[in-house]
Amino acid sequence: MTLYLQLASHYRQAIHKGVLPPGARMPSVRGLMGLHQVSMSTALQACRWLEAKGLLEARARAGYFVRADKTWALPPVSEPALVALHDEARYVGVHQKVSSVLARAQSRGVRVNLAGAQAAPELYPLERLRQSSQRVLRQRGDCLVTPPPPGGEPGLRSALARQALEQQIQLSPEEILITHGCTEALTLALRAVTQPGDVVAVESPTYYGLLQILESLSLRALEIPTSPHTGLSLPALQEAAVLTPGLKAVAVVPHLQNPLGAVMPDAAKQALLAWCEAQDLALIEDDSYSALFDGPAPLRAIKSFDRSGRVILCSSLHKTLAPGMRLGWLSGGRWQQRLEMLKYSQSRPNESLPQLAVADYFNAGHGSRHLRGMRARLVLQREHMAEALARHLPAESRLSVPNGGFNLWLELPEGLSSMALFGAALDEGIRLAPGAMFSNSMRFDRFLRIGCGHPFDEAVRAAVQTLGRLVQSCR
Amino acid sequence: MTLYLQLASHYRQAIHKGVLPPGARMPSVRGLMGLHQVSMSTALQACRWLEAKGLLEARARAGYFVRADKTWALPPVSEPALVALHDEARYVGVHQKVSSVLARAQSRGVRVNLAGAQAAPELYPLERLRQSSQRVLRQRGDCLVTPPPPGGEPGLRSALARQALEQQIQLSPEEILITHGCTEALTLALRAVTQPGDVVAVESPTYYGLLQILESLSLRALEIPTSPHTGLSLPALQEAAVLTPGLKAVAVVPHLQNPLGAVMPDAAKQALLAWCEAQDLALIEDDSYSALFDGPAPLRAIKSFDRSGRVILCSSLHKTLAPGMRLGWLSGGRWQQRLEMLKYSQSRPNESLPQLAVADYFNAGHGSRHLRGMRARLVLQREHMAEALARHLPAESRLSVPNGGFNLWLELPEGLSSMALFGAALDEGIRLAPGAMFSNSMRFDRFLRIGCGHPFDEAVRAAVQTLGRLVQSCR
C-alpha cells in the first residue's frame, strides 16, 4: 500500500471514530508533513483522497474540514451486564448447529463471503512464501523423505522465540512446540489440563472452533460475559466460579478476540492471571491475532506476566502469514512435558517443509514489512465495511469496530434472527457468520460476525446493500 | 536394482527359508531362463552371485547345488500359546518406558540405527517427490495462502481410492479422510469409538505408538497373543473377551504387523470381522505396511470384506513413499461423520501442498515402479541382516523373517534383557528397539525388533557383530 493511502486511512479511521468530529479542522498539509515525516505531495494526495471519499471538504484559504453529512457510522454494540449469566456449566452441543451452517455454505455457490475470519489470498505474501518453499526444496529437499524432528524444526522455533520477545515473552526455542494450527494447540492444551466432564470457562461470545473442541472432548463450557472493548469480565467469572465445581481452566483470546475484537487491558490480563493462580486453574491463551493490532506498540501476551508456568500460550501463523500452511505452536509452561507427550501420541511431529520455508521467510527479514502492509489494508477494509453497513442497515443496528483484525461484530435490530438471515443471504449467494454459532446458547442470534478480510470491491458493497435489504424484509 | 540381483535375491530367500534345502539342486540355467523369462546372461549372473555369496556350489557337468555349510539361518521364533494371557485389561503405562528409550537414543551419537521401522532416505523417490512439489508450487502455489479443503485434496483422495481398489476395497474419494499420518488416523478412530476407561484389544506384541495413544486417551489395553506368522489369535481374543467388560474395539495390523511381520490369512481376517460384528465391536485396521509385501498379488484388507461399515481402515504413505510428508488417511465406515467432526475439531484439514504433490506423483504413474524397487531392495536387506544375525548371535537365538517390510523380530537366549542390551549397545553408538517397548508388560523383554531399512553396508555388518558380542557378554 502506498504511503499516501496509509496516511489517508489513518485519518479516515480518526474521522469514523469521532476523534476528528464533523466540522473539525484537518491538520494542514504542512502540519501533516511535520507530523508524519512525509513529502508535500504525499500529504496532498492523502487529503485529496479523503475529499474524494466525501470525508473532507476544502474551504478556500482555510484548509480541509471534516464534513458533517458524510461520516457514516453506527453506534457501538452495547456492553453486556458484566455479572455471571446464571447459566450452569453445560456440555457443549454446537456441532450440529455449526456444521450445518458450514455444510450449507459449502454446498451453495457463494459469490461473496462476509463470514471469513481471515484475509483474502492477495493480502498474504504468496510470492515470497513460494520462493522460500522452492529454496528449501532445492537445498534441503531430503526433508521429504526423512522423519521430521520432534517438537518442530529448530530454525522455526528460534524465529518464533525471537518474535515472542517483542511481546515481552522470554522463551527458549525448546519451550516452543510446533502444532498443526492453533486448533491442534488448543486441543492439546485442553487435553493436558482436563478430563472429560470438567468445566472450562470461555468468553461469551467465543470462537465456535473452541466450543467444538470442548464438545469433542466431552468438556463443559462456562460462558462468561465479555465486553466488546475490554474482553472477559473477571468479576463475572469470579461470581460464576463460586457456583461451579469442576472448573479446571480458563480459555481466552485477550487480543482482538474472535468474534468481538476486544482487547484486554494489561491490568485486566494481570488480574485474570493472579486469580487463576489463586484458584489453581490453567490459563489457556490464544494469541493468534495480536500481530494484526493497529497500536503503537505490540500487545503484551498474558504469558509475558506469567512467572509460574500457569499459562499455556497457543498461537498460529495461518491468520497472519499463510492460511494454507497450517502452522501453529504452543508454549505450555508447567505442562510442557505432558503437551509434548500428547502431541507425539496424537499426530507425531509436524512435517518439515512448511516449517523450514517459514523459517527461511522470517530469516530473510520479510515478516514485519508484510504485517505493516496487511494491517494498513485491513484498517481500510474495516472502515469501508463499517461505513457501508452504516449506510445500508437500519439505524437501530449497532457495530463494534475493533482496532485490528478481520472482524466487525454487528448487532441487528430487535426481533431479527441471524440464523434466518443466514439462510436468506445464502439464497442470494452471500455467506454470513451467524452470531448463534459463537455460543452454546442462542444468546447471540441477533448478531453477525462480519468478515473484512477481502478488499472492499463492488461485489462486497453490493452484498452489504443486499444484506440491508434482507434485514429490512426480515423485520 | 538390476534383474539378475532380483533373481538372485529370490533364490537367496528360497534357500534361507529352506524351500531349497542344503544339497538341493538349483534349477538349471536353461530352466531359470524359462521360469523367469530372462536371458542366459542374467540367469548365469544370478547363479554366479549366489555362488560368490557361498550359497551355491557348482558341480562339474551337474549344475549348481545349495551348499550345506553356508546357509546361515536362525530357527524361527516360537509360536506363543494361543490362549488368553489371563492378564486383565489394564490402563497403559508405557509412556515413561518408551519416551526414555527415545530420549536416550536421541541424546546420544548413534552411528548405526538398527531400531527404525522405516527405510533409509535413499530408498524413497526423493527426486520425483521434489519435482512434483516444485510443479505444485509453480502451478498451484496459491494453496500456501488459501485454507485447505475439508477432508483433504480431491486429487489425492481419488488417487488413494483407486489404489484401494487393488486391495479390493470399494471406496469413493469422499469416504477417504486425509490425516496427519497414521498416528492421527488411529487417534481419531479410537476417539470415535471409545470413552476413557473403555477397553481396546490389541496384538501382543504391538506397535508402541498405539499403546501411547491408548495411554493418552485413558483407555485400557487388552493384549492378545499373536503369532509371528498368522497374527492375532482369535480363540485367545474370544476367551479374553468373555472375562472383560468394557471391550469396545479391536485394533490390528493384519499385514506385516509391527513388530512381528505377521500376515493374517484371509480366512482369519474374515473370522475376526464376523466375530466383531457379532460382538458389536469396532474393528480398527492399520494397513500402513501392506504395500511392502512380497507376494504375487496384493493383500486384501479386512475392510474389503466389510459389508456393514464396521471397519475403520487407517493407513499412511510415510512408510512406503515419503517419511517426511506425514500423510495418512482413514475410511471410517459407519463412524465416518463422527470422524470428520473429530478431525475438524482436532486439527482442521491437512495443508494442501504435500497432498497435491503426492497426487501429482501418483498421477504421473510413478507409484508402482517405486514400490517394486523398494520391495526388491528390502528383500535383500532383510536377507543380509538375517544371515548376519545368524552368523553373530548365539545359536539359541530365534528369528522371524517376514515376507516384506522393514523388520525382523529377534528372540534372544534365556536370561537376556533387551532393555539392558539397549543401554550397552547405545554406549557403542548402536540404536536398538527393545522388545519391552511393544507391550504394556515386560513380556517381550527378551526380544528385539531389528530394522532392515538401511542398505546392508559395512557399518551395519559391524554393528551386528558388536551386537553379537554384547549378547555373549550379557549372558
Short mmCIF file of all heavy atoms in Angstrom, two decimals, chain A residues 3-9 11-12 15 20 25-33 36 38-59 63-67:
data_model
loop_
_atom_site.label_atom_id
_atom_site.label_comp_id
_atom_site.label_asym_id
_atom_site.label_seq_id
_atom_site.Cartn_x
_atom_site.Cartn_y
_atom_site.Cartn_z
N LEU A 3 2.19 5.10 0.52
CA LEU A 3 2.27 5.90 1.74
C LEU A 3 1.04 6.79 1.91
O LEU A 3 0.49 6.93 3.01
CB LEU A 3 3.56 6.74 1.67
CG LEU A 3 4.07 7.29 2.99
CD1 LEU A 3 4.25 6.18 4.00
CD2 LEU A 3 5.43 7.98 2.76
N TYR A 4 0.62 7.42 0.80
CA TYR A 4 -0.50 8.38 0.96
C TYR A 4 -1.77 7.67 1.39
O TYR A 4 -2.56 8.17 2.17
CB TYR A 4 -0.70 9.20 -0.33
CG TYR A 4 -1.56 8.56 -1.39
CD1 TYR A 4 -2.95 8.73 -1.38
CD2 TYR A 4 -1.00 7.80 -2.40
CE1 TYR A 4 -3.74 8.15 -2.35
CE2 TYR A 4 -1.78 7.21 -3.36
CZ TYR A 4 -3.16 7.39 -3.34
OH TYR A 4 -3.95 6.80 -4.29
N LEU A 5 -1.94 6.39 0.93
CA LEU A 5 -3.14 5.65 1.34
C LEU A 5 -3.07 5.29 2.82
O LEU A 5 -4.08 5.29 3.52
CB LEU A 5 -3.30 4.40 0.49
CG LEU A 5 -4.03 4.59 -0.83
CD1 LEU A 5 -4.13 3.27 -1.58
CD2 LEU A 5 -5.46 5.15 -0.58
N GLN A 6 -1.87 4.95 3.27
CA GLN A 6 -1.71 4.67 4.71
C GLN A 6 -2.10 5.88 5.54
O GLN A 6 -2.82 5.79 6.53
CB GLN A 6 -0.26 4.29 5.02
CG GLN A 6 0.13 2.91 4.54
CD GLN A 6 1.55 2.54 4.95
OE1 GLN A 6 2.00 2.92 6.03
NE2 GLN A 6 2.26 1.84 4.09
N LEU A 7 -1.61 7.04 5.07
CA LEU A 7 -1.90 8.27 5.80
C LEU A 7 -3.40 8.58 5.76
O LEU A 7 -4.03 8.89 6.78
CB LEU A 7 -1.09 9.41 5.14
CG LEU A 7 -1.09 10.76 5.85
CD1 LEU A 7 -0.49 10.63 7.24
CD2 LEU A 7 -0.28 11.79 5.03
N ALA A 8 -3.97 8.45 4.57
CA ALA A 8 -5.40 8.73 4.42
C ALA A 8 -6.22 7.80 5.30
O ALA A 8 -7.18 8.21 5.97
CB ALA A 8 -5.79 8.59 2.95
N SER A 9 -5.80 6.54 5.34
CA SER A 9 -6.61 5.59 6.10
C SER A 9 -6.52 5.87 7.60
O SER A 9 -7.47 5.66 8.35
CB SER A 9 -6.18 4.17 5.73
OG SER A 9 -5.62 3.52 6.82
N TYR A 11 -6.38 8.83 8.88
CA TYR A 11 -7.30 9.92 9.20
C TYR A 11 -8.76 9.51 8.98
O TYR A 11 -9.67 9.97 9.66
CB TYR A 11 -6.92 11.18 8.41
CG TYR A 11 -5.76 11.87 9.10
CD1 TYR A 11 -4.45 11.67 8.69
CD2 TYR A 11 -5.99 12.66 10.22
CE1 TYR A 11 -3.39 12.24 9.36
CE2 TYR A 11 -4.93 13.25 10.90
CZ TYR A 11 -3.63 13.03 10.47
OH TYR A 11 -2.61 13.59 11.16
N ARG A 12 -8.95 8.63 8.00
CA ARG A 12 -10.30 8.10 7.80
C ARG A 12 -10.81 7.44 9.08
O ARG A 12 -11.94 7.65 9.50
CB ARG A 12 -10.22 7.08 6.67
CG ARG A 12 -11.51 6.44 6.30
CD ARG A 12 -11.21 5.21 5.43
NE ARG A 12 -12.46 4.61 5.05
CZ ARG A 12 -13.07 4.89 3.90
NH1 ARG A 12 -12.53 5.70 3.05
NH2 ARG A 12 -14.23 4.31 3.64
N ILE A 15 -11.64 9.95 11.73
CA ILE A 15 -12.93 10.61 11.48
C ILE A 15 -14.07 9.67 11.88
O ILE A 15 -15.00 10.05 12.58
CB ILE A 15 -13.04 11.00 9.98
CG1 ILE A 15 -12.02 12.11 9.68
CG2 ILE A 15 -14.46 11.45 9.65
CD1 ILE A 15 -11.80 12.36 8.18
N LEU A 20 -11.75 12.97 15.14
CA LEU A 20 -11.95 14.22 14.39
C LEU A 20 -13.45 14.31 14.10
O LEU A 20 -13.95 13.70 13.16
CB LEU A 20 -11.16 14.19 13.07
CG LEU A 20 -9.65 14.42 13.15
CD1 LEU A 20 -9.03 14.27 11.77
CD2 LEU A 20 -9.32 15.80 13.71
N ARG A 25 -11.27 20.73 12.09
CA ARG A 25 -10.30 21.11 11.09
C ARG A 25 -9.25 20.00 10.97
O ARG A 25 -8.71 19.51 11.96
CB ARG A 25 -9.62 22.39 11.55
CG ARG A 25 -8.66 22.94 10.53
CD ARG A 25 -7.90 24.12 11.13
NE ARG A 25 -7.13 24.72 10.07
CZ ARG A 25 -7.11 26.01 9.79
NH1 ARG A 25 -7.80 26.86 10.53
NH2 ARG A 25 -6.38 26.46 8.80
N MET A 26 -8.97 19.64 9.75
CA MET A 26 -7.92 18.66 9.47
C MET A 26 -6.57 19.36 9.61
O MET A 26 -6.46 20.55 9.30
CB MET A 26 -8.13 18.18 8.02
CG MET A 26 -7.12 17.21 7.49
SD MET A 26 -7.38 15.54 8.13
CE MET A 26 -6.05 14.68 7.28
N PRO A 27 -5.52 18.65 10.12
CA PRO A 27 -4.21 19.30 10.14
C PRO A 27 -3.85 19.80 8.74
O PRO A 27 -4.24 19.18 7.73
CB PRO A 27 -3.26 18.16 10.57
CG PRO A 27 -4.12 17.21 11.30
CD PRO A 27 -5.49 17.30 10.69
N SER A 28 -3.11 20.90 8.69
CA SER A 28 -2.73 21.48 7.39
C SER A 28 -1.75 20.55 6.68
O SER A 28 -1.16 19.64 7.30
CB SER A 28 -2.06 22.83 7.61
OG SER A 28 -0.80 22.61 8.23
N VAL A 29 -1.57 20.80 5.40
CA VAL A 29 -0.63 20.00 4.62
C VAL A 29 0.77 20.09 5.24
O VAL A 29 1.46 19.07 5.42
CB VAL A 29 -0.61 20.46 3.15
CG1 VAL A 29 0.58 19.85 2.41
CG2 VAL A 29 -1.93 20.05 2.48
N ARG A 30 1.16 21.28 5.60
CA ARG A 30 2.47 21.45 6.24
C ARG A 30 2.52 20.69 7.58
O ARG A 30 3.49 20.04 7.92
CB ARG A 30 2.78 22.93 6.43
CG ARG A 30 4.25 23.24 6.63
CD ARG A 30 4.57 24.69 6.31
NE ARG A 30 4.34 25.02 4.91
CZ ARG A 30 5.23 24.77 3.93
NH1 ARG A 30 6.38 24.19 4.21
NH2 ARG A 30 4.96 25.09 2.68
N GLY A 31 1.39 20.80 8.30
CA GLY A 31 1.29 20.09 9.58
C GLY A 31 1.45 18.58 9.39
O GLY A 31 2.16 17.91 10.14
N LEU A 32 0.78 18.05 8.36
CA LEU A 32 0.88 16.61 8.09
C LEU A 32 2.31 16.23 7.76
O LEU A 32 2.81 15.17 8.19
CB LEU A 32 -0.04 16.22 6.91
CG LEU A 32 -1.54 16.30 7.18
CD1 LEU A 32 -2.33 16.10 5.89
CD2 LEU A 32 -1.95 15.23 8.21
N MET A 33 2.98 17.09 6.99
CA MET A 33 4.36 16.79 6.62
C MET A 33 5.25 16.65 7.85
O MET A 33 6.07 15.73 7.96
CB MET A 33 4.92 17.90 5.71
CG MET A 33 4.29 17.91 4.32
SD MET A 33 4.62 19.47 3.43
CE MET A 33 6.41 19.42 3.29
N HIS A 36 4.01 13.47 10.22
CA HIS A 36 4.19 12.11 9.73
C HIS A 36 5.46 11.93 8.93
O HIS A 36 5.69 10.85 8.38
CB HIS A 36 2.97 11.70 8.89
CG HIS A 36 1.69 11.75 9.67
ND1 HIS A 36 1.30 10.77 10.54
CD2 HIS A 36 0.72 12.70 9.73
CE1 HIS A 36 0.14 11.07 11.09
NE2 HIS A 36 -0.23 12.27 10.62
N VAL A 38 6.33 13.08 5.97
CA VAL A 38 6.05 12.72 4.58
C VAL A 38 6.28 13.95 3.70
O VAL A 38 6.39 15.08 4.19
CB VAL A 38 4.60 12.22 4.40
CG1 VAL A 38 4.40 10.92 5.16
CG2 VAL A 38 3.58 13.27 4.85
N SER A 39 6.34 13.72 2.41
CA SER A 39 6.54 14.83 1.47
C SER A 39 5.24 15.60 1.30
O SER A 39 4.14 15.12 1.66
CB SER A 39 6.98 14.26 0.12
OG SER A 39 5.88 13.58 -0.45
N MET A 40 5.34 16.80 0.71
CA MET A 40 4.14 17.59 0.47
C MET A 40 3.20 16.85 -0.48
O MET A 40 1.99 16.84 -0.27
CB MET A 40 4.52 18.94 -0.13
CG MET A 40 3.27 19.75 -0.51
SD MET A 40 3.66 21.38 -1.18
CE MET A 40 4.37 22.18 0.22
N SER A 41 3.78 16.18 -1.48
CA SER A 41 2.89 15.53 -2.45
C SER A 41 2.11 14.39 -1.78
O SER A 41 0.93 14.18 -2.05
CB SER A 41 3.70 15.05 -3.66
OG SER A 41 3.75 13.66 -3.72
N THR A 42 2.75 13.65 -0.87
CA THR A 42 2.04 12.59 -0.15
C THR A 42 0.92 13.17 0.71
O THR A 42 -0.22 12.66 0.71
CB THR A 42 3.03 11.81 0.74
OG1 THR A 42 4.02 11.22 -0.10
CG2 THR A 42 2.33 10.73 1.52
N ALA A 43 1.22 14.24 1.44
CA ALA A 43 0.21 14.85 2.30
C ALA A 43 -0.97 15.35 1.46
O ALA A 43 -2.14 15.13 1.82
CB ALA A 43 0.84 16.00 3.10
N LEU A 44 -0.66 15.95 0.34
CA LEU A 44 -1.72 16.48 -0.52
C LEU A 44 -2.58 15.35 -1.10
O LEU A 44 -3.81 15.43 -1.11
CB LEU A 44 -1.10 17.28 -1.67
CG LEU A 44 -1.11 18.80 -1.49
CD1 LEU A 44 -0.34 19.46 -2.62
CD2 LEU A 44 -2.56 19.32 -1.45
N GLN A 45 -1.89 14.30 -1.56
CA GLN A 45 -2.63 13.17 -2.13
C GLN A 45 -3.60 12.57 -1.11
O GLN A 45 -4.72 12.21 -1.42
CB GLN A 45 -1.65 12.08 -2.58
CG GLN A 45 -1.13 12.25 -3.99
CD GLN A 45 -0.28 11.05 -4.38
OE1 GLN A 45 0.78 10.84 -3.78
NE2 GLN A 45 -0.73 10.28 -5.35
N ALA A 46 -3.13 12.47 0.15
CA ALA A 46 -3.98 11.90 1.19
C ALA A 46 -5.21 12.77 1.40
O ALA A 46 -6.35 12.26 1.50
CB ALA A 46 -3.19 11.77 2.50
N CYS A 47 -5.01 14.10 1.46
CA CYS A 47 -6.16 14.98 1.67
C CYS A 47 -7.14 14.90 0.50
O CYS A 47 -8.36 14.85 0.67
CB CYS A 47 -5.69 16.43 1.84
SG CYS A 47 -4.79 16.65 3.38
N ARG A 48 -6.60 14.82 -0.70
CA ARG A 48 -7.49 14.77 -1.87
C ARG A 48 -8.28 13.46 -1.92
O ARG A 48 -9.43 13.42 -2.32
CB ARG A 48 -6.65 14.94 -3.15
CG ARG A 48 -6.23 16.39 -3.31
CD ARG A 48 -5.53 16.64 -4.62
NE ARG A 48 -5.00 18.01 -4.59
CZ ARG A 48 -3.81 18.35 -5.07
NH1 ARG A 48 -3.02 17.43 -5.62
NH2 ARG A 48 -3.40 19.61 -5.01
N TRP A 49 -7.62 12.42 -1.49
CA TRP A 49 -8.31 11.12 -1.46
C TRP A 49 -9.48 11.18 -0.47
O TRP A 49 -10.58 10.73 -0.75
CB TRP A 49 -7.29 10.03 -1.07
CG TRP A 49 -7.82 8.63 -1.16
CD1 TRP A 49 -7.83 7.82 -2.26
CD2 TRP A 49 -8.41 7.87 -0.11
NE1 TRP A 49 -8.37 6.60 -1.97
CE2 TRP A 49 -8.74 6.60 -0.65
CE3 TRP A 49 -8.69 8.11 1.23
CZ2 TRP A 49 -9.34 5.60 0.10
CZ3 TRP A 49 -9.28 7.11 1.99
CH2 TRP A 49 -9.60 5.87 1.43
N LEU A 50 -9.20 11.76 0.71
CA LEU A 50 -10.26 11.86 1.72
C LEU A 50 -11.38 12.78 1.23
O LEU A 50 -12.57 12.55 1.51
CB LEU A 50 -9.68 12.39 3.05
CG LEU A 50 -8.76 11.41 3.78
CD1 LEU A 50 -7.92 12.12 4.84
CD2 LEU A 50 -9.58 10.28 4.42
N GLU A 51 -11.00 13.78 0.47
CA GLU A 51 -12.00 14.67 -0.10
C GLU A 51 -12.86 13.91 -1.12
O GLU A 51 -14.08 14.02 -1.12
CB GLU A 51 -11.30 15.88 -0.77
CG GLU A 51 -12.28 16.96 -1.22
CD GLU A 51 -11.57 18.09 -1.96
OE1 GLU A 51 -10.37 17.93 -2.30
OE2 GLU A 51 -12.23 19.12 -2.20
N ALA A 52 -12.15 13.14 -1.96
CA ALA A 52 -12.88 12.39 -2.99
C ALA A 52 -13.84 11.38 -2.36
O ALA A 52 -14.90 11.08 -2.90
CB ALA A 52 -11.89 11.67 -3.90
N LYS A 53 -13.47 10.86 -1.20
CA LYS A 53 -14.34 9.90 -0.50
C LYS A 53 -15.47 10.62 0.22
O LYS A 53 -16.30 9.98 0.89
CB LYS A 53 -13.52 9.12 0.54
CG LYS A 53 -12.53 8.16 -0.07
CD LYS A 53 -13.21 6.91 -0.59
CE LYS A 53 -12.29 6.14 -1.51
NZ LYS A 53 -12.95 5.11 -2.30
N GLY A 54 -15.48 11.95 0.17
CA GLY A 54 -16.57 12.69 0.79
C GLY A 54 -16.39 12.89 2.29
O GLY A 54 -17.33 13.26 3.00
N LEU A 55 -15.19 12.64 2.81
CA LEU A 55 -14.99 12.79 4.25
C LEU A 55 -14.51 14.19 4.62
O LEU A 55 -14.77 14.67 5.72
CB LEU A 55 -13.97 11.75 4.73
CG LEU A 55 -14.48 10.30 4.65
CD1 LEU A 55 -13.34 9.32 4.85
CD2 LEU A 55 -15.58 10.07 5.69
N LEU A 56 -13.78 14.81 3.72
CA LEU A 56 -13.28 16.17 3.97
C LEU A 56 -13.88 17.11 2.92
O LEU A 56 -14.24 16.69 1.82
CB LEU A 56 -11.74 16.22 3.85
CG LEU A 56 -10.92 15.41 4.85
CD1 LEU A 56 -9.42 15.66 4.58
CD2 LEU A 56 -11.27 15.77 6.28
N GLU A 57 -13.98 18.40 3.32
CA GLU A 57 -14.26 19.40 2.29
C GLU A 57 -13.20 20.49 2.39
O GLU A 57 -12.74 20.82 3.49
CB GLU A 57 -15.66 19.99 2.46
CG GLU A 57 -15.92 20.59 3.83
CD GLU A 57 -17.40 20.98 4.01
OE1 GLU A 57 -18.12 20.98 3.02
OE2 GLU A 57 -17.77 21.27 5.16
N ALA A 58 -12.78 21.00 1.24
CA ALA A 58 -11.78 22.07 1.21
C ALA A 58 -12.51 23.41 1.32
O ALA A 58 -13.56 23.61 0.69
CB ALA A 58 -10.99 21.99 -0.08
N ARG A 59 -12.02 24.27 2.25
CA ARG A 59 -12.57 25.62 2.30
C ARG A 59 -11.45 26.58 1.88
O ARG A 59 -10.33 26.48 2.41
CB ARG A 59 -13.04 25.96 3.71
CG ARG A 59 -14.25 25.11 4.13
CD ARG A 59 -14.84 25.57 5.44
NE ARG A 59 -15.67 24.51 6.01
CZ ARG A 59 -15.95 24.38 7.29
NH1 ARG A 59 -15.42 25.24 8.17
NH2 ARG A 59 -16.71 23.41 7.72
N GLY A 63 -8.18 25.60 4.47
CA GLY A 63 -7.73 24.21 4.55
C GLY A 63 -8.90 23.23 4.50
O GLY A 63 -10.00 23.56 4.05
N TYR A 64 -8.64 21.99 5.00
CA TYR A 64 -9.63 20.92 4.93
C TYR A 64 -10.39 20.79 6.25
O TYR A 64 -9.79 20.89 7.33
CB TYR A 64 -8.96 19.59 4.59
CG TYR A 64 -8.52 19.50 3.15
CD1 TYR A 64 -7.20 19.74 2.78
CD2 TYR A 64 -9.43 19.15 2.16
CE1 TYR A 64 -6.80 19.63 1.46
CE2 TYR A 64 -9.03 19.04 0.83
CZ TYR A 64 -7.73 19.28 0.48
OH TYR A 64 -7.34 19.18 -0.82
N PHE A 65 -11.70 20.48 6.17
CA PHE A 65 -12.54 20.26 7.35
C PHE A 65 -13.33 18.96 7.19
O PHE A 65 -13.65 18.56 6.06
CB PHE A 65 -13.50 21.44 7.53
CG PHE A 65 -12.80 22.70 7.95
CD1 PHE A 65 -12.15 23.49 7.00
CD2 PHE A 65 -12.77 23.08 9.29
CE1 PHE A 65 -11.47 24.64 7.38
CE2 PHE A 65 -12.10 24.24 9.66
CZ PHE A 65 -11.45 25.03 8.72
N VAL A 66 -13.63 18.35 8.30
CA VAL A 66 -14.42 17.11 8.27
C VAL A 66 -15.86 17.46 7.92
O VAL A 66 -16.46 18.34 8.53
CB VAL A 66 -14.37 16.39 9.64
CG1 VAL A 66 -15.24 15.14 9.61
CG2 VAL A 66 -12.94 16.05 10.01
N ARG A 67 -16.41 16.75 6.93
CA ARG A 67 -17.79 17.03 6.53
C ARG A 67 -18.77 16.43 7.54
O ARG A 67 -18.55 15.33 8.06
CB ARG A 67 -18.06 16.44 5.14
CG ARG A 67 -17.49 17.30 4.03
CD ARG A 67 -17.71 16.68 2.69
NE ARG A 67 -19.15 16.65 2.35
CZ ARG A 67 -19.56 16.49 1.09
NH1 ARG A 67 -18.69 16.35 0.10
NH2 ARG A 67 -20.85 16.45 0.85
#
